[in-house]
Amino acid sequence: MNAPTRVIDPVTTEIIRCALLQAAEDMNTTLIRSAYTPTIYEAKDCAVALLDRDHHVLGQSSGLPIFLGNLEECTRATERMYGREVWQEGDVWVLNDSYIGGTHLNDVTVYAPIHVGGELIGFAASRAHWIDMGSKDPGGSMDSTTIHQEGLRMGPLKIYDRGEPCVLTQDLIARQVRFPQPTLGDMRAQVACALTGGRRLAEIVERWGMATLLAARDAIFDQTERPERERIAAIPDGVYEATGQLDNDGIDLGTPLHVTVRATVDGDRMTMDVTHCADQATGPVNCGAAQTVAACRVGYKLLVSGEVPLNGGSFKPLDVLTRPGSMLAAVEPAACQYYYSHLGLVIDLVVRALAPALPEKAAAASYGDSMIVQFTGVDPRTDKLFVSQEATVGGWGAWHAGDGETCLINNVNDSLPRQADEVEAWMARLEG
């Protein structure tokens, strides 16, 4: 299993590439079809990733862009805390700490190590929105001022130990939330998703061998990294900057919160600096650094390399700098429930900053907030509590070749963001 990597032919590389992507799609299908709540099986507030044993992305399905590209931080954080030897065959872990995963506590990551012949070969992970985490208000609190008002906060925690359910852990989760049955149902759907990914990756290794998989991985990552660097190198060297602000944090209504994105292009590398932003806010418009990194990556992919596949080679030429204690890299006890607004702002500012260098790719800002509608009450038919959540739609900005579009989910949540050239081709087909 520890055989060195070897030279691999392009046909085998492409077959393995497609097998990895299909494995991720199978994971996504398992999650959506097994989930208990419409937030996952209808709204598809989720994402999945198949990782190699070094925590690099091998394959991802379509999903929320703001989740993509940072699921691996959960497995890395677990290994940093407990060591490489912590990964045991049959274990499944859960994590929702906002300061590790980056998002609010409702976004729960479930992940599992994958073994073949007793050796660790990778990880399968998914993140999905659980409808309630026991916050002070059902479903989530829009006026929280500390993380402790927002519900059950879990660092890396086992929910299956060597294939056996951790009954005490699952009981603890069930007792902390308002809807234990659908919550545990969604958790088990994520477990099934992880097991599906584990089977698919094991099948690939058993068919081609670990050495061939590693050779294909290196080739795939190189094939992705090279065009990324070429697209960055085509941008004139220099510093590109844009500044915007939120009106307030929802609690302190008189204080705007500024954000500056500074993108530095140096040859075939780009650095995005978001350290020049407001300190973490009193209200819940904060997030962990991992989610800010994801937002910068979304803005980068929208503008620079949207047609290049996403995997472990995608962001090697891109660095993101954050500042601990800021609203974009919050630390305890900052509230993190409503992270959509400022991350949408970050994405738009990335585009605005780089627009002078890429005017044919840049579009005006999309509408600035997910505007989540949430209501709760007691169902008179059952005398039981219910909660309903729905993201609204709005408009996307115009671009050099046409008007914007209406009735679209914003680019924080859209599963398949369209690039300008894709939109142009689509419009041409319609007109033809």
Side-chain angles (χ1 to χ4, degrees):
M1 294 293 291
N2 285 315
T5 58
R6 63 180 180 82
V7 176
I8 189 170
D9 66 274
V11 173
T12 303
T13 298
E14 192 62 25
I15 291 172
I16 292 177
R17 183 206 308 272
C18 292
L20 293 170
L21 293 175
Q22 186 57 52
E25 291 295 341
D26 290 348
M27 291 171 63
N28 194 51
T29 299
T30 299
L31 173 56
I32 289 171
R33 291 187 176 181
S34 304
Y36 274 51
T37 60
T39 303
I40 301 174
Y41 67 71
E42 286 188 5
K44 298 181 175 55
D45 194 344
C46 57
V48 309
L50 193 63
L51 313 174
D52 70 9
R53 61 191 182 187
D54 299 316
H55 314 280
H56 300 131
V57 176
L58 294 172
Q60 293 191 191
S61 73
S62 58
L64 265 66
I66 208 63
F67 288 171
L68 300 181
N70 74 347
L71 295 185
E72 64 268 28
E73 183 56 30
C74 298
T75 58
R76 286 196 178 107
T78 304
E79 190 168 302
R80 284 196 300 268
M81 293 173 67
Y82 300 114
R84 184 73 166 179
E85 65 279 2
V86 75
W87 305 117
Q88 300 297 321
E89 190 167 0
D91 287 355
V92 183
W93 294 73
V94 65
L95 183 150
N96 75 333
D97 191 317
S98 298
Y99 312 123
I100 298 175
T103 68
H104 56 199
L105 298 182
N106 295 79
D107 292 336
V108 181
T109 305
V110 173
Y111 49 102
I114 305 169
H115 293 79
V116 169
E119 182 172 352
L120 178 69
I121 64 168
F123 304 88
S126 70
R127 182 174 295 168
H129 183 107
W130 291 7
I131 59 172
D132 181 79
M133 292 305 300
S135 57
K136 70 184 185 68
D137 302 305
S141 303
M142 297 302 105
D143 61 348
S144 53
T145 56
T146 75
I147 194 76
H148 307 294
Q149 298 171 327
E150 297 180 341
L152 177 63
R153 175 180 162 211
M154 297 177 286
L157 195 64
K158 283 187 186 181
I159 50 176
Y160 281 78
D161 185 0
R162 301 175 191 264
E164 296 297 323
C166 298
V167 177
L168 296 179
T169 302
Q170 295 188 25
D171 179 71
L172 174 66
I173 293 172
R175 290 177 185 274
Q176 300 304 310
V177 301
R178 292 176 174 86
F179 308 99
Q181 181 183 10
T183 296
L184 292 182
D186 285 344
M187 181 197 75
R188 289 166 185 147
Q190 290 184 261
V191 172
C193 168
L195 296 179
T196 298
R199 286 194 298 270
R200 296 295 180 267
L201 186 60
E203 289 165 359
I204 292 170
V205 171
E206 289 164 358
R207 179 174 179 180
W208 282 287
M210 193 65 189
T212 300
L213 173 61
L214 293 177
R217 176 202 64 181
D218 293 344
I220 292 166
F221 288 0
D222 181 65
Q223 291 167 8
T224 302
E225 182 181 352
R226 279 188 282 109
E228 297 282 1
R229 290 187 180 277
E230 290 169 1
R231 281 156 179 75
I232 294 174
I235 301 172
D237 285 1
V239 178
Y240 302 87
E241 184 176 304
T243 298
Q245 67 179 35
L246 299 182
D247 292 340
N248 54 66
D249 66 2
I251 300 295
D252 179 4
L253 303 183
T255 304
L257 305 172
H258 72 276
V259 175
T260 295
V261 171
R262 182 174 297 158
T264 300
V265 177
D266 182 9
D268 62 356
R269 294 198 61 83
M270 181 183 295
T271 300
M272 292 189 187
D273 184 342
V274 293
T275 60
H276 301 280
C277 67
D279 292 339
Q280 60 190 46
T282 301
V285 291
N286 304 291
C287 67
Q291 205 61 8
T292 296
V293 172
C296 289
R297 289 174 171 180
V298 171
Y300 166 86
K301 294 297 285 184
L302 279 170
L303 199 61
V304 177
S305 65
E307 73 281 9
V308 180
L310 185 68
N311 55 50
S314 297
F315 303 114
K316 287 185 178 180
L318 176 67
D319 296 314
V320 178
L321 306 179
T322 61
R323 176 172 60 86
S326 68
M327 63 184 291
L328 298 177
V331 297
E332 190 174 359
C336 298
Q337 180 66 32
Y338 206 79
Y339 64 88
Y340 322 103
S341 304
H342 61 281
L343 293 185
L345 176 61
V346 167
I347 294 169
D348 286 335
L349 290 176
V350 169
V351 175
R352 188 194 303 176
L354 292 169
L358 299 166
E360 75 287 352
K361 291 287 189 75
S366 66
Y367 70 108
D369 199 290
S370 296
M371 294 300 293
I372 305 296
V373 176
Q374 177 172 292
F375 55 92
T376 184
V378 175
D379 188 337
R381 299 167 297 180
T382 62
D383 290 328
K384 292 183 178 180
L385 185 72
F386 72 88
V387 63
S388 179
Q389 300 166 335
E390 184 71 28
T392 60
V393 297
W396 282 27
W399 54 300
H400 81 104
D403 295 336
E405 291 290 334
T406 60
C407 297
L408 295 174
I409 195 70
N410 63 16
N411 51 24
V412 174
N413 293 311
D414 179 40
S415 61
L416 292 171
R418 290 186 175 273
Q419 306 308 305
D421 51 354
E422 293 174 327
V423 174
E424 188 169 12
W426 173 65
M427 293 175 64
R429 288 195 299 271
L430 288 179
E431 292 173 355

